[in-house]
Amino acid sequence: MKEAIILFKNATINQYKKAVLSEINFSISEGSFVYLIGRTGSGKSSLLKTLYGDLKLQQGEGSIAGFDLAKLKDRKIPDLRRKIGVVFQDFQLLPDRTIERNLDFVLRATGWKDKQERTKKIDEVLDLVGLKDRRKHFPNALSGGEQQRIAIARALLNDPDIILADEPTGNLDPITSLEVMELLRNINQKGTTILMATHDYNLISKYPNTTYKCEEGKLSEIKKNS
């Protein structure tokens, strides 16, 4: 049986001193692909922010990739973020840098000192997302789908155990959304755990996986084919 790479027990997540999700009890096994659904404001993003250390877990127990979220010190957050990759809906690429320099910036910020090693790693992740020929382009020269692929490449730079994807297809057309989903599915099949917040129920139908729903301050599993 695979170990839980994400685990919450009797946890409460607060935003602006108000509980947005309470009595959270769930676990995600290593190598899983899990969806997180719910209306805007239901707590999906707050849950993801707690997982990558942007929000403190003040009540209950929580862990991700071996880090205790209830006891997580600020100085340990960079260590946590080397274990996880985060993909946002709006890409969050630096507009004044080429794709190569966007990725190099992340590597240098996370402790990669050897330039040749950084170049090799950039080649590797760009090859994985099929955009090696775009390394000298600026983000605004790329389509939305290409920018999201670069964002996924960026998330893979430190070989994360987990990818947290917050509405990664939210700004994309249906065909491009499928391309991004195929990429995420391929990454998952190589062993990386993926937790993806989404509003796109068509994608969930096409690529069924375990699904949790945030609703009325609670988190509950949606059974497949229910």
Side-chain angles (χ1 to χ4, degrees):
M1 185 174 178
K2 292 183 178 179
E3 290 187 13
I5 196 165
I6 295 175
L7 179 67
F8 281 98
K9 289 184 180 179
N10 301 317
T12 297
I13 290 175
N14 298 292
Q15 181 106 36
Y16 306 116
K17 298 183 179 179
K18 179 183 177 183
V20 291
L21 288 171
S22 59
E23 298 176 30
I24 307 169
N25 291 282
F26 86 115
S27 64
I28 296 177
S29 299
E30 291 179 338
S32 299
F33 194 127
V34 175
Y35 294 115
L36 190 61
I37 63 173
R39 296 187 178 197
T40 300
S42 64
K44 301 188 306 299
S45 291
S46 295
L47 176 57
L48 294 180
K49 285 180 179 180
T50 302
L51 288 170
Y52 61 79
D54 210 38
L55 281 179
K56 297 287 188 185
L57 180 63
Q58 297 174 348
Q59 295 172 258
E61 300 175 32
S63 65
I64 179 170
F67 287 82
D68 186 333
L69 293 170
K71 298 178 181 178
L72 186 65
K73 304 293 186 185
D74 287 348
R75 60 186 171 80
K76 286 292 184 182
I77 292 175
D79 295 333
L80 166 63
R81 291 181 181 171
R82 289 188 190 100
K83 287 278 193 177
I84 59 179
V86 185
V87 179
F88 299 98
Q89 177 178 348
D90 57 356
F91 321 135
Q92 296 197 8
L93 299 172
L94 300 170
D96 61 338
R97 301 169 193 237
T98 63
I99 296 310
E100 181 177 43
R101 291 184 62 209
N102 262 271
L103 300 179
D104 193 58
F105 175 81
V106 174
L107 288 174
R108 285 187 287 108
T110 53
W112 291 61
K113 300 190 185 303
D114 188 291
K115 189 175 189 303
Q116 285 187 326
E117 288 297 316
R118 295 200 308 269
T119 299
K120 181 180 176 183
K121 191 63 184 181
I122 290 168
D123 281 343
E124 180 185 314
V125 296
L126 288 178
D127 192 42
L128 184 63
V129 302
L131 290 174
K132 209 169 177 180
D133 60 337
R134 299 292 198 273
R135 62 187 305 140
K136 298 297 184 184
H137 289 59
F138 284 85
N140 64 5
L142 305 183
S143 68
E146 287 172 334
Q147 289 188 61
Q148 192 59 290
R149 282 174 174 267
I150 296 299
I152 292 169
R154 180 183 58 198
L156 293 169
L157 284 169
N158 284 298
D159 299 312
D161 297 328
I162 306 164
I163 286 182
L164 305 176
D166 194 358
E167 301 283 354
T169 62
N171 287 333
L172 306 178
D173 62 78
I175 292 174
T176 307
S177 294
L178 290 177
E179 292 172 353
V180 167
M181 276 301 299
E182 284 289 345
L183 176 57
L184 289 173
R185 191 170 74 153
N186 289 340
I187 292 166
N188 172 245
Q189 288 172 346
K190 293 176 181 176
T192 305
T193 305
I194 294 181
L195 176 59
M196 173 178 161
T198 184
H199 282 108
D200 195 332
Y201 293 92
N202 289 327
L203 285 181
I204 294 175
S205 296
K206 186 171 180 62
Y207 304 97
N209 286 298
T210 300
T211 302
Y212 284 89
K213 186 175 186 179
C214 297
E215 187 174 42
E216 297 180 354
K218 305 295 180 186
L219 182 70
S220 57
E221 184 176 354
I222 305 296
K223 300 299 181 184
K224 291 180 185 177
N225 302 320
S226 64

